[in-house]
Structure formats: C-alpha cells, structure tokens
Amino acid sequence: MSGYFLHHLIRFGRTLRAAGVPITPGQMMALVRALEWIPMGDREAFYHAARCTLICRREDLEVFDRIFNWFWRNPLMGGQLPPGLLSTAPGPIRRRENRPRPAEVGHPPSPESRSENPEAPPVVLADRAMTYSPSEILRRKQFERFSEEEIQLARRLMARLRWQIQERETRRLRPGPKGEHLDLRRTARRSLRHYGEWVRLLWRTRKRKPRPLVVLCDISGSMERYARMLLHFLHALSHTRRHVETFVFGTRLTRITRCLHHRDLDQALQEVSRTVVDWSGGTRIGECMHAFNRDWARRVLGRGAVVMIISDGWDRGDIDLLRQEMERLQKSCYRLIWLNPLLGIPGYQPLTRGMQAALPYIDDFLPVHNLASLEQLAAHLERLPSRRSARRSGLARSIELVGSEEGLPLG
C-alpha cells in the first residue's frame, strides 16, 4: 500500500469521525489489513471492506454511503464536510457533536464568543486519535531495512542521543569538600580568622576530565549495507562530543575526523567519499590495526581513551598479525569495545577467523544493528568504571551480552 493512499485513508476516517460516526484506531487497522487481500482498482470490494470494518451501527450506514461517494470522488477535498451533505439525506439524520478529548489541542469556542463575532474562523482541533509515532518501530528495525524516509527520521533520532562517557581522574588536584589530600595552604590561611587555630580542615580532590573517544569503522564489502547508517551515526557522534577521532578501514586506514566536522551531513559525506578510496573492497583488519598502532596510537590514545571498533569480523589478511595488533591496542587504551552488526541476529556465533582472533582482547562485545542498540551503547559508556579494571576475556563478555536485546544488564 502506497503512502499517499494510506494518507487519504486516514483523512477518510477523520471525515467520518467529524460526521459523528464512531471509529476507533483498531477499526482503521482492520481496514488496512483487509485491503492487503483486495485489488487496488476494485472500488466495489473496497467499499464493502470499509463498510464492514468501520460501521458497527445501522443508523450510520446512510451517513457512510454519502460520505464515501463524496470523499472518494476527489480525496484531496476530504476533511471539511460541504454544507448540506448530511442535511439532504432522506431521513432524520442528525450530525452528532464531537466532544473534545484530552488528546485534542485547543477548545471549541463558547456560544457567547460565537454570537459576538460570527465571522470568526472556526477553531481547528488536532485529533491525534488516528495518528502514530514511528520512532518506536524504528528503534527495533535493522539498519539495512530502512527506507529513505526512515533514514531521515533515524538521523534526527540519532542527533538526540547524548554520549556521556564516564570521566577520568587526573593527577591534578582542586579544592573540594572532601578528598584524600589535606590542603595545608588554604587551611593555614583560613586559620588566621581564628587566631591561628585550625578550626576547619580543607581538602583537595582530583580533577575529572572527559575521556577521548576513538572510533574505527569497517567499510569493506561485507559492511556495505550498514555503512551509510554508520556514517550518519559517526557524524552525529562527532558533533555531540568534543574529543572524537574517527577512522575508516578496509584494505587501508583513513582518518576522516576533519571530514565529519562539517555541520551539513551531505557535505560531510561528500568530503568522506573524496577522501576514502577503498569503499566496499576487501578487508585486512590486521594491517589496518598495525597502521593505526604505528602512526596514530601515540597521538590519540592518551588520557585514557576509549576505542570502539565497528566491524563484522570478516578478515582476509594475516590472522597472527591481527592477534598481535589487537593485544597491543588493548594495552594502549582504557577500554576496547567491538561493535558487531551481526550480533543482533538471533543465533549468531562469532565463528569467523577475524572474530576468533580478536575476541580474547576485547573488553565489551556489543551489537550495533538498530537504534535500540545505540541507546544501549550510550547507557553502557555512561556506566564505565572510573578506573581501569582487570582485563576480561572478550568471549566471556559476549556470552554475558548475548541477551542484551531482551533487557539483560550490559557488561
């Protein structure tokens, strides 16, 4: 069913409600399901389907017939009933007044205000009974199944996410109400108010600063169906946090941090397409991790950085090299998180060579296949411990997080 026809169908239901015919959202959904078995050009079958699903009382049949014949001559004219449409019916058909509901915006004018100003325009009531919110549906829908309109809506939803990573404690100290270090200078200065008596002890506590975030995203051929939405996610992430370094890799490693600084998403994606030359190609994760550790690790992994690798784990390079570079990367960062879009598929098991080699060095193994998984990722980053904990096996992590879609606690 096309979106235009569905829009006209909703307007038809609103027109019936304006005429006093009681129609519920369940009846409209029943009509939509019934139209899946009816040819689009069969007007008579459509008439009987609408009459059987929308009309429950005998006194509403004649009103339905008149409005059906008038509305479907030109659906664009629907919504405002023409004068005399219901009054010319052969019989005592009276239009019932619709009482405003809590979901309606505004209130109908009082009889006194109508008599004082008879030429005042009628108050338009926004009836939300026949509307719906698609955001809940998109939260569970996988990225590769998004339509063009759903991609635009998902972009706005991702821009609303707030990424608050657990802050780190620095070596610098600042005044605080409590702490581990006594502030002798301020305490001695304060004692001068009390003739040298140390009436109150003042303390210093450690400063806290946000952790840098480093993202390495796989853009090989196996990740092509997820690449577009993941780039939207990386663009939104770059404009939500200040310290974000972004890289993409396939057969080579490319830094796209400056490309994503453009506020306009289309301009940012055009800049990325001109910079990256290995789109939808092969995958050499080990070689790309080696290039990152050699050229960029000392620049971007300081101050307790969190590293996120987005990949499905398909690798055609040297597995021993991948194992060595993953071990080196884990030791260089505060937290190593692997995001796999295939982890959200029921029954998935990390059996590829690349995943088997990387799992022992991963701290958190999480899915990234829909908006709900991004929300879970944001909540997980916010709950990271303030201090670096003992390294745990990535395989044990994956076993704990297999049921994350059913609401089990993360990490």
Side-chain angles (χ1 to χ4, degrees):
M1 183 184 301
S2 64
Y4 290 104
F5 182 75
L6 183 60
H7 175 70
H8 295 326
L9 195 64
I10 295 175
R11 288 171 55 87
F12 175 60
R14 292 176 177 174
T15 306
L16 290 175
R17 286 173 57 86
V21 180
I23 299 178
T24 64
Q27 290 175 296
M28 294 298 298
M29 293 299 298
L31 177 58
V32 172
R33 289 192 295 266
L35 293 181
E36 297 177 359
W37 303 90
I38 297 175
M40 290 297 295
D42 195 341
R43 179 183 177 89
E44 183 178 0
F46 170 57
Y47 164 78
H48 288 291
R51 182 171 177 174
C52 293
T53 54
L54 302 180
I55 303 302
C56 301
R57 301 183 303 183
R58 182 181 298 271
E59 56 267 28
D60 295 330
L61 292 177
E62 195 165 359
V63 179
F64 173 83
D65 292 342
R66 287 183 173 274
I67 293 179
F68 182 90
N69 294 328
W70 167 78
F71 182 92
W72 292 106
R73 290 177 184 174
N74 187 1
L76 297 177
M77 298 295 295
Q80 185 69 28
L81 292 174
L85 177 65
L86 302 179
S87 61
T88 57
I93 300 178
R94 295 180 299 175
R95 177 172 177 171
R96 291 176 291 274
E97 295 292 334
N98 281 335
R99 297 182 180 180
R101 302 188 177 187
E104 296 177 344
V105 179
H107 300 279
S110 60
E112 292 79 10
S113 62
R114 292 180 180 177
S115 59
E116 294 175 0
N117 190 7
E119 298 181 357
V123 178
V124 179
L125 301 179
D127 188 1
R128 304 183 186 275
M130 305 301 296
T131 61
Y132 72 102
S133 175
S135 60
E136 184 64 26
I137 301 177
L138 289 183
R139 289 182 69 254
R140 300 294 176 181
K141 192 172 184 179
Q142 295 190 4
F143 286 149
E144 71 270 16
R145 299 179 181 177
F146 277 8
S147 62
E148 189 64 31
E149 297 178 355
E150 292 172 340
I151 290 177
Q152 302 301 324
L153 179 58
R155 285 172 49 182
R156 295 192 292 268
L157 295 177
M158 283 190 288
R160 299 176 187 174
L161 292 176
R162 291 296 175 261
W163 303 89
Q164 301 293 335
I165 302 179
Q166 181 64 255
E167 296 182 341
R168 65 183 179 91
E169 292 183 351
T170 66
R171 296 185 179 182
R172 294 183 178 273
L173 301 177
R174 62 177 178 84
K178 297 180 181 180
E180 302 175 356
H181 305 273
L182 180 63
D183 194 343
L184 294 177
R185 181 177 298 179
R186 293 177 60 236
T187 302
R189 189 183 302 115
R190 179 68 63 89
S191 68
L192 297 178
R193 303 180 183 180
H194 306 283
Y195 304 98
E197 295 291 338
W198 286 25
V199 177
R200 180 184 177 186
L201 299 179
L202 301 179
W203 301 89
R204 292 190 299 174
T205 184
R206 292 187 180 275
K207 288 184 178 181
R208 303 180 68 89
K209 289 187 177 181
R211 296 182 180 276
L213 183 63
V214 180
V215 185
L216 297 95
C217 183
D218 188 351
I219 56 170
S220 61
S222 60
M223 291 285 293
E224 183 178 4
R225 52 182 177 176
Y226 303 101
R228 183 177 182 183
M229 286 304 305
L230 291 178
L231 285 177
H232 292 177
F233 160 62
L234 296 179
H235 182 265
L237 183 63
S238 299
H239 290 273
T240 303
R241 293 188 53 84
R242 293 181 56 185
H243 306 287
V244 178
E245 288 286 342
T246 310
F247 300 83
V248 293
F249 65 89
T251 57
R252 64 181 68 183
L253 183 72
T254 307
R255 181 174 179 262
I256 61 171
T257 303
R258 293 185 178 180
C259 302
L260 298 179
H261 283 173
H262 296 286
R263 281 289 177 182
D264 183 59
L265 176 61
D266 296 332
Q267 185 178 1
L269 295 182
Q270 290 178 3
E271 187 69 22
V272 170
S273 64
R274 288 193 295 264
T275 305
V276 181
V277 297
D278 56 339
W279 287 100
S280 303
T283 313
R284 294 189 179 94
I285 305 179
E287 286 79 353
C288 295
M289 293 298 107
H290 174 70
F292 175 80
N293 291 330
R294 180 192 59 201
D295 302 331
W296 295 99
R298 293 186 178 181
R299 306 185 191 182
V300 300
L301 292 186
R303 304 180 301 277
V306 176
V307 178
M308 293 193 307
I309 301 177
I310 308 177
S311 176
D312 55 3
W314 288 92
D315 187 21
R316 300 184 63 85
D318 189 353
I319 296 300
D320 294 332
L321 179 62
L322 173 60
R323 188 177 295 106
Q324 296 173 6
E325 297 303 327
M326 288 296 297
E327 182 180 5
R328 179 182 175 184
L329 179 59
Q330 186 196 37
K331 294 178 180 179
S332 303
C333 66
Y334 165 75
R335 199 82 173 183
L336 182 57
I337 303 174
W338 191 293
L339 305 177
N340 193 331
L342 302 181
L343 190 57
I345 301 177
Y348 168 77
Q349 296 182 2
L351 301 179
T352 59
R353 296 192 311 161
M355 284 304 339
Q356 289 291 329
L359 272 177
Y361 310 103
I362 298 174
D363 295 317
D364 301 296
F365 190 36
L366 305 175
V368 59
H369 62 290
N370 55 19
L371 294 176
S373 62
L374 294 181
E375 296 175 0
Q376 294 175 0
L377 174 62
H380 179 66
L381 293 176
E382 191 173 358
R383 294 197 302 265
L384 290 179
S386 58
R387 295 185 178 181
R388 184 171 179 173
S389 58
R391 295 297 189 181
R392 301 181 61 186
S393 169
L395 183 58
R397 278 291 197 187
S398 64
I399 295 175
E400 292 180 1
L401 300 176
V402 162
S404 60
E405 286 295 315
E406 286 72 24
L408 297 181
L410 296 176

